[in-house]
Amino acid sequence: MIEVKKLIKNFENLEVLKNIDAKVKDGEVVCVIGPSGSGKSTFLRCLNLLEEPTGGEIYIDGEQINKDGVNLNAIRQKLGMVFQNFNLFPHMTTLENITLAPVNVMGMNKKDAEKIAFELLERVGLADKAQVYPSSLSGGQKQRVAIARALAMNPEVMLFDEPTSALDPEMVGEVLEVMRGLADKGMTMVIVTHEMGFAREVADRILFMDDGVVVEQGTPEHIFNHPESQRTKEFLSKVL
Ligand code: ADP
Ligand code: MG
């Protein structure tokens, strides 16, 4: 579903991604772990072209997306993204946050978009919050709305960038629970996370990134129980 070949991203003189090769199969859950500043967010942002790759190729469903003339909206429709800080529109209700893109980008009629929004709110356990503004939601609720908003575009892949890092500890579980539900339903997901327990349990594959490269990748069993690289071992000894 996603294939990344020799992806390079520089910011001015700073080389942030150095020849990343990666594949994500249909229905696969891939967790990306690694130290702060290793390029995890940049990697994720390149996948839906929030950052423009400096070099290399990214294919979605066999079609190269980082080339001239691509339809950015169509690509971002395929790849839903959930951010650490929710990025909800503060002046819009939960319902409006979720229906905005389906109506304005996909051209869906408002009634249909609202019907889908209510189904999604049900799914993330917030059916009673349709008419409230983000300011009256807890962090965990905001993130669940953000997930519902991304799902409203019916994406093929969901990208998560540290979705629980900004949450108070007691709210982490409710967000991970929603993500686990998506994984169980076969959603293809790429998740940058520091939640090692979650990664071990839910990921089909773990990518360990350090200093702009994928140092090692494998099943949770491989990465957590039998890491080969010294850098992987050192990182895990700090976070586990
Ligand atoms: P991670 O998500 O693993 O913490 P990031 O991808 O956010 O890492 O950042 C990797 C490196 O790229 C860091 O050194 C960061 O400062 C730099 N960086 C990220 N975004 C930008 C940007 N827009 N402009 C300049 N440097 C950036
Ligand atoms: Mg990051």
Side-chain angles (χ1 to χ4, degrees), residues 114-155:
E114 288 183 349
K115 180 164 177 289
I116 290 168
F118 278 113
E119 285 165 10
L120 289 168
L121 282 172
E122 191 81 44
R123 192 159 158 197
V124 299
L126 294 172
D128 55 336
K129 299 292 185 191
Q131 304 301 344
V132 310
Y133 288 86
S135 56
S136 66
L137 296 172
S138 72
Q141 291 171 333
K142 281 181 201 165
Q143 196 57 300
R144 286 186 280 149
V145 171
I147 293 171
R149 181 178 62 176
L151 290 172
M153 296 293 276
N154 196 24

Side-chain angles (χ1 to χ4, degrees), residues 7 84 87 123 151 155 159 162 238:
L7 177 62
Q84 182 173 345
N87 293 9
R123 192 159 158 197
L151 290 172
L159 309 175
E162 297 196 33
K238 287 182 203 147

